[in-house]
Amino acid sequence: MKKYLLLIEDESLWQKFKSKIKNDINTEIMELIKKRVKEDK
């Protein structure tokens, strides 16, 4: 498995995202990626 570093410049945006997630951050990001890939098809 590859690991990536996520850099967030907008701290307030990051705080909003973290407050809305239900799972761990990695799972939430993977779900967002999968959703986006499906939308592009």
Side-chain angles (χ1 to χ4, degrees), residues 25-39:
I25 292 172
N26 289 331
T27 302
E28 292 290 336
I29 291 172
M30 287 305 300
E31 288 176 6
L32 289 171
I33 291 170
K34 289 175 184 177
K35 181 179 175 184
R36 180 60 190 242
V37 167
K38 285 181 182 179
E39 289 174 356

Side-chain angles (χ1 to χ4, degrees), residues 12-36:
S12 64
L13 181 63
W14 178 245
Q15 291 301 325
K16 287 178 186 177
F17 175 73
K18 285 193 338 184
S19 70
K20 293 179 185 245
I21 62 174
K22 298 173 185 165
N23 299 316
D24 64 293
I25 292 172
N26 289 331
T27 302
E28 292 290 336
I29 291 172
M30 287 305 300
E31 288 176 6
L32 289 171
I33 291 170
K34 289 175 184 177
K35 181 179 175 184
R36 180 60 190 242

